[in-house]
Amino acid sequence: NPAAEADTCKLPGNQNPLAVITGYAQTAGVTCAIDQGMSIGRNGQGMDVYEIGCTDADGFWIERTAAGGWDTSECTVVVSQGGACRYTTAAEINSSFKARLAATAADDCDVTQVRFMGANANGRFYEAKCAAEGTGYIARANAQGAIQQVYACATAARIGGGCTLTTNAVPAVTNE
């Protein structure tokens, strides 16, 4: 009966699910200021999956592992793999990625779009499109998410098929 009043949780431990989910996220290594969270359901192995929303930052999915630990996936990756992050906006993803580019050759990039490209033994690869016309970068990050190397889109055609968000990337002209 859709018009019937919904049951509510009556057990004290279920009165504040965000506190419980925040505890799970912190155990999983999520360090952002958590402002939202919810159970998504179970993964293919029957383990619990939660979405974590972060204040003004990229959120996460966390998945319980069979060994009792947690796997984390940033929403940038989740979205690229066809998932949905209800608590993370494109602006939050862009802002988070801009912060990750600080102190790199791409620290002047005003990130307008981010794409997870994939991962291999060398790291995880992302494309960042910048506000400046024809400017973008491919960034390689380590397992902890720290940017290890950046490549300008104009010269990165051989990395994962090159940049697809950044059009008209032109190599810098040098006067010699």
Side-chain angles (χ1 to χ4, degrees):
N1 178 5
E5 193 170 313
D7 288 334
T8 59
C9 294
K10 295 185 179 17
L11 296 173
N14 294 335
Q15 296 301 309
N16 186 359
L18 184 58
V20 174
I21 293 170
T22 296
Y24 294 159
Q26 290 170 340
T27 300
V30 174
T31 60
C32 68
I34 298 167
D35 60 2
Q36 294 174 303
M38 69 178 281
S39 172
I40 295 173
R42 294 184 181 251
N43 63 19
Q45 293 76 41
M47 305 306 289
D48 293 331
V49 181
Y50 299 90
E51 180 180 346
I52 307 301
C54 298
T55 304
D56 299 324
D58 197 354
F60 294 87
W61 275 19
I62 60 170
E63 298 183 41
R64 176 87 67 182
T65 66
W70 294 94
D71 285 333
T72 61
S73 297
E74 62 201 283
C75 282
T76 303
V77 174
V78 171
V79 170
S80 77
Q81 296 173 336
C85 284
R86 288 166 256 197
Y87 301 137
T88 301
T89 66
E92 288 172 327
I93 289 172
N94 296 342
S95 174
S96 290
F97 205 77
K98 179 174 177 50
R100 290 170 65 183
L101 292 174
T104 72
D107 66 357
D108 63 338
C109 178
D110 184 13
V111 178
T112 60
Q113 199 170 359
V114 179
R115 173 177 73 100
F116 175 69
M117 299 173 67
N120 63 25
N122 294 321
R124 299 164 70 107
F125 293 83
Y126 302 82
E127 178 185 358
K129 179 180 179 181
C130 307
E133 180 66 31
T135 305
Y137 296 92
I138 291 177
R140 178 177 55 85
N142 64 15
Q144 294 74 37
I147 302 300
Q148 302 294 297
Q149 191 167 9
V150 296
Y151 310 87
C153 283
T155 59
R158 297 180 68 182
I159 300 172
C163 295
T164 61
L165 302 175
T166 306
T167 58
N168 304 324
V170 180
V173 176
T174 58
N175 295 327
E176 297 183 63

